[in-house]
Amino acid sequence: METSFALTGKGYVIIAADTTAARSIVKMKVDEDKIKELSSHLLMSYSGEPGDTIQFAEYVERNIRLYQIRNLYPLRPAAAAAWIRRSLAESLRSRHPYSVNLLLGGYDIADHKPNLYWIDYLGTVVELPFAAHGYGSYFALSLLDRYHNPEASLEEGLATLKRCIEEVAKRLIVSPDRFKVKVVDKDGTREVEL
Amino acid sequence: MSVMEYNGGSVIAMVGKDCVAIASDLRLGNQALGITSNFQRVFPVTNRLYIGLPGLGTDVTTLRERFRYRVNMYTIKEERDIQPETFAHLVSSTLYEHRFGPYFIEPVIAGLSKAPSGGFKPFIAATDLIGCLNFAKDFVVAGTASAKLFGVAEGLWEPDLEPEDLFETISQTLLNAVDRDAFSGWGAVVHVITKDQVVTRTLKGRMD
Amino acid sequence: MARRYDSRTTIFSPEVEYAMEAISHAGTVLGVLAKDGVVLAAEKRVTGKLLDLSSAKDGGGYGGSGEKMFLLNSNVIGGVAGITSDANSLVNYARTVAQRHLLQFNEDIPVELLAQRLCDMKQGYTQYGGLRPFGVSLLYAGYDPHYRFQLYHSDPSGNYSGWKATCIGANNGTAQSLLKQEYKDDIGVEEAIGLVLRVMSKTMDSTTLGSEKLEFAVLTYDEVAKEPKAKIYKPADIDALLKAQGLAKDEDTEMKS
């Protein structure tokens, strides 16, 4: 089942998403990248209705890029979150709403702070120290309540993330076997191996 | 399950002597799963006017942004603050515009309105999700714990409470009502509005 | 990026030239960028003794008299020179654009983006047939987290540029050469206030400065509230400021003349 996690630490945000692409009960692909790099300091993981996810993620990606081309600087994470939220909220009351859940992680180069936004398909947005979507959230959130430390180093943050992934692997019936992990900090976005 | 209960949350407003108070819990959940214990759903409109927006989370943000837009345009053109009565009708008509596809929010408004004499008069109001206004003289409630809030408020509220006593009354009412509601709670925020200042306090609540 | 190249040499259509000419006779507006703020001052033209100014006497809700200085958004003050009715229309447009940005992105509009949006409209009126251009130049004094304090100027053609100190309206040449001599790169807002008032007193036709002829505004950053603070001075504040700067009119000389 689709699962994504994200957590903040001292000057960074980690986002992890499983890599399976499934159609009904069949695994179609096991190396799908569901985390987009929207700008130099902004990551977005997406999950939900197949088709909607990629359509919407690319729509967001291109619009964020357009803003950066027009203005020479990218949208700040908070502004990007507000814009993406509005797109989903408007879509919700249209003839065919996108059903896409997102985690938006960014590092704000204007005030030097990491930001993490939990966004669901309704357009609900909340800024959080850690967040999760999918069935994994039922296991991971309580675990993060216990182990998350906003002052943790990247190594400690990745160790906490590993706990989440192991817990899901242990307890969820249909658990994803691989996760892609990306980090954003003052130096920008990058992929890391667990 | 009803859309109105999807994210949970409750708001209450009370009238005191030359003051009003508005309070809300801080939970936002996905049905039974708690997402955050710091979700603000009460927002300042002017220095003496607040609005609480219990209901569907996405619409809390949408309406907050919409009202801010309308009020800013009003303020910058009129060069004066909007009055609570005027704002209540703005809220009502905005909601009724969506009569057949509504925002799932039941707003609560609390503020002090300028009297012709120069003084200030307490004002509270609430509407349903399509903007039917209810002007009350004592208290108004809304959200997933509204039934419980009615009960406790009925027992605790009395007329002409001073700001500090009003704070105690509204806080006890809210905290005790949300403890009996699965979808509200996880801390609370209280604003007491007097003519000179607004005192905002964040309260701890049961975390279960 | 601010258009640096074509602010002087381009030849515009006669209509735009007329608009520019009209502005060079309008009341002066002067702006100075400091490291911790932006200062604007403007000269009000006294229209006549019979003009009823009672509604503007103590300044509107934002201060000023609503003639030359406008709060465009919580982070931008605009100073206008040119045709008043055109200016009012542009100010209204700017406020709408800024609020739409707030609605869409939940942040104050970046200053340059606001200037760009107004210039897009101004440019349109120089191109499409049957319309006359806006006879207005504006100074924008603003703050945003990307480039902090900024000062922009836009003219009727839709050109805009960023400045450390600049001036539009009557005698702008004199003012600009004074500014060029006296401006220092690390100027603070208090010094900038002094500089602006000194230059204004030399540029304006009248010998003495007073709140009936001067509008004044300062944009700073409120470190406690963590947001920009726009202050458009009320007439009484202006007189107090002039007195403090030693530029207030001397009552004895006024009596003698």
Side-chain angles (χ1 to χ4, degrees):
Chain A
M1 301 270 165
E2 276 196 314
T3 288
S4 49
F5 310 115
L7 56 112
T8 57
K10 199 174 173 58
Y12 64 84
V13 184
I14 309 172
I15 298 191
D18 71 279
T19 56
T20 41
R23 295 287 177 276
S24 112
I25 55 161
V26 184
K27 269 184 194 168
M28 307 295 282
K29 198 163 178 274
V30 286
D31 58 353
E32 176 88 336
D33 184 356
K34 300 189 225 180
I35 309 173
K36 271 205 183 301
E37 286 130 52
L38 296 180
S39 68
S40 62
H41 290 80
L42 196 61
L43 291 171
M44 181 179 79
S45 76
Y46 51 93
S47 56
E49 184 81 12
D52 281 11
T53 47
I54 292 174
Q55 271 306 124
F56 186 76
E58 287 184 359
Y59 170 76
V60 169
E61 185 183 29
R62 279 8 290 182
N63 274 283
I64 298 279
R65 182 77 188 110
L66 179 61
Y67 186 97
Q68 188 170 350
I69 291 167
R70 280 185 172 157
N71 298 291
L72 302 180
Y73 48 80
L75 271 176
R76 299 174 73 190
W83 185 86
I84 295 166
R85 187 209 84 79
R86 179 153 282 272
S87 302
L88 283 169
E90 280 170 5
S91 149
L92 183 68
R93 288 185 161 85
S94 70
R95 206 165 49 82
H96 184 78
Y98 286 110
S99 55
V100 186
N101 296 318
L102 310 165
L103 294 173
L104 189 72
Y107 184 84
D108 192 339
I109 42 180
D111 70 1
H112 315 289
K113 283 190 181 102
N115 301 118
L116 169 63
Y117 299 91
W118 178 94
I119 305 173
D120 74 1
Y121 73 102
L122 300 167
T124 318
V125 62
V126 193
E127 195 188 351
L128 293 169
F130 53 85
H133 275 303
Y135 284 112
S137 66
Y138 294 99
F139 306 99
L141 287 183
S142 46
L143 202 140
L144 285 163
D145 276 330
R146 171 66 185 79
Y147 292 108
H148 177 261
N149 172 12
E151 291 298 309
S153 68
L154 182 59
E155 289 67 34
E156 293 169 311
L158 288 169
T160 310
L161 177 74
K162 223 168 171 177
R163 277 177 184 270
C164 294
I165 291 171
E166 280 161 8
E167 186 66 19
V168 170
K170 188 173 171 187
R171 293 289 176 184
L172 191 65
I173 311 176
V174 194
S175 54
D177 40 20
R178 280 190 59 218
F179 277 86
K180 198 174 260 291
V181 184
K182 293 185 185 178
V183 173
V184 58
D185 59 15
K186 65 179 182 3
D187 303 319
T189 65
R190 65 182 178 280
E191 191 179 334
V192 292
E193 290 297 325
L194 266 191
Chain B
M1 190 190 222
S2 155
V3 186
M4 294 301 292
E5 273 109 55
Y6 185 76
N7 297 122
S10 303
V11 178
I12 178 170
M14 280 181 173
V15 169
K17 189 171 171 16
D18 300 321
C19 60
V20 289
I22 183 167
S24 168
D25 69 318
L26 291 170
R27 181 181 181 271
L28 178 120
N30 242 213
Q31 312 211 53
L33 174 71
I35 299 293
T36 178
S37 55
N38 189 25
F39 187 74
Q40 301 292 337
R41 61 184 116 247
V42 177
F43 306 101
V45 180
T46 70
N47 291 332
R48 295 192 186 90
L49 178 60
Y50 277 67
I51 183 167
L53 301 165
L56 191 66
T58 180
D59 292 343
V60 173
T61 315
T62 305
L63 278 181
R64 182 270 163 109
E65 288 171 350
R66 249 186 110 110
F67 290 140
R68 182 177 59 186
Y69 178 87
R70 296 290 300 271
V71 168
N72 284 356
M73 289 310 286
Y74 180 100
T75 315
I76 211 160
K77 279 189 180 150
E78 295 276 327
E79 298 201 347
R80 65 186 171 89
D81 283 343
I82 195 167
Q83 287 306 115
E85 289 83 353
T86 319
F87 180 67
H89 283 94
L90 169 65
V91 170
S92 169
S93 59
T94 305
L95 291 179
Y96 196 77
E97 267 177 37
H98 301 269
R99 170 63 180 81
F100 297 108
Y103 289 117
F104 297 99
I105 296 284
E106 295 183 333
V108 168
I109 299 160
L112 296 174
S113 59
K114 223 173 193 159
S117 60
F120 291 95
K121 200 166 79 25
F123 175 95
I124 56 163
T127 92
D128 64 5
L129 75 167
I130 54 168
C132 176
L133 278 164
N134 162 26
F135 302 105
K137 288 188 171 60
D138 43 10
F139 52 81
V140 284
V141 299
T144 54
S146 61
K148 295 109 185 172
L149 283 164
F150 262 126
V152 192
E154 207 73 72
L156 293 185
W157 185 85
E158 47 191 279
D160 294 326
L161 289 164
E162 295 294 330
E164 274 309 302
D165 299 328
L166 185 67
F167 165 72
E168 198 59 33
T169 308
I170 198 168
S171 303
Q172 290 298 342
T173 306
L174 183 75
L175 288 176
N176 287 288
V178 298
D179 280 354
R180 281 286 175 187
D181 182 42
F183 300 113
S184 298
W186 269 21
V189 64
V190 185
H191 308 274
V192 181
I193 307 164
T194 56
K195 73 175 176 32
D196 301 316
Q197 60 172 346
V198 178
V199 178
T200 300
R201 293 185 181 95
T202 306
L203 309 178
K204 285 185 175 166
R206 285 176 64 120
M207 296 301 285
D208 55 2
Chain C
M1 195 214 258
R3 315 295 194 263
R4 275 183 265 171
Y5 309 106
D6 50 1
S7 61
R8 216 165 277 242
T9 49
T10 320
I11 295 170
F12 299 109
S13 72
E15 281 187 313
V16 177
E17 298 282 334
Y18 291 148
M20 303 259 207
E21 179 63 19
I23 289 161
S24 68
H25 297 296
T28 316
V29 186
L30 198 147
V32 169
L33 179 67
K35 63 175 191 287
D36 52 352
V38 198
V39 185
L40 286 182
E43 178 194 5
K44 263 192 300 192
R45 288 285 161 87
V46 181
T47 321
K49 281 187 175 169
L50 291 176
L51 189 69
D52 186 359
L53 293 167
S54 55
S55 64
K57 197 135 200 191
D58 25 292
Y62 300 106
S65 63
E67 243 180 87
K68 308 282 291 179
M69 298 279 190
F70 297 90
L71 189 69
L72 300 183
N73 198 38
S74 58
N75 64 327
V76 190
I77 307 171
V80 302
I83 303 168
T84 311
S85 53
D86 286 13
N88 287 335
S89 162
L90 276 177
V91 164
N92 183 235
Y93 180 73
R95 288 170 170 178
T96 312
V97 162
Q99 286 303 314
R100 275 214 299 266
H101 184 96
L102 182 65
L103 187 66
Q104 204 168 21
F105 297 106
N106 197 28
E107 68 170 15
D108 282 334
I109 191 167
V111 190
E112 187 170 352
L113 185 55
L114 181 64
Q116 274 176 4
R117 296 294 302 277
L118 261 84
C119 284
D120 287 348
M121 183 156 95
K122 285 191 182 189
Q123 191 279 336
Y125 278 78
T126 67
Q127 189 173 11
Y128 301 114
L131 300 168
R132 83 175 162 79
F134 281 97
V136 186
S137 271
L138 281 110
L139 292 189
Y140 311 80
Y143 174 92
D144 65 51
H146 299 285
Y147 300 124
R148 296 181 58 79
F149 295 105
Q150 293 149 80
L151 174 66
Y152 291 97
H153 162 230
S154 73
D155 71 15
S157 71
N159 265 324
Y160 77 95
S161 39
W163 296 86
K164 292 172 179 174
T166 192
C167 177
I168 52 176
N171 298 324
N172 68 79
T174 325
Q176 284 192 26
S177 54
L178 277 169
L179 288 171
K180 209 181 280 178
Q181 279 169 27
E182 298 209 23
Y183 187 83
K184 293 193 300 288
D185 268 331
D186 60 341
I187 193 168
V189 75
E190 288 306 319
E191 279 179 278
I193 291 173
L195 173 61
V196 163
L197 289 175
R198 269 200 319 281
V199 176
M200 272 316 260
S201 71
K202 285 181 187 163
T203 329
M204 278 163 64
D205 298 334
S206 53
T207 45
T208 51
L209 283 177
S211 59
E212 73 282 357
K213 282 191 183 157
L214 192 72
E215 287 202 32
F216 197 79
V218 179
L219 186 90
T220 48
Y221 190 79
D222 186 337
E223 290 294 344
V224 182
K226 297 279 172 214
E227 60 187 22
K229 193 169 102 187
K231 185 181 179 193
I232 302 178
Y233 282 55
K234 294 187 188 301
D237 301 334
I238 294 176
D239 286 324
L241 179 73
L242 288 169
K243 203 170 174 189
Q245 296 278 334
L247 288 164
K249 57 184 144 198
D250 189 342
E251 292 191 7
D252 291 336
T253 45
E254 197 176 43
M255 293 290 275
K256 278 173 204 161
S257 64

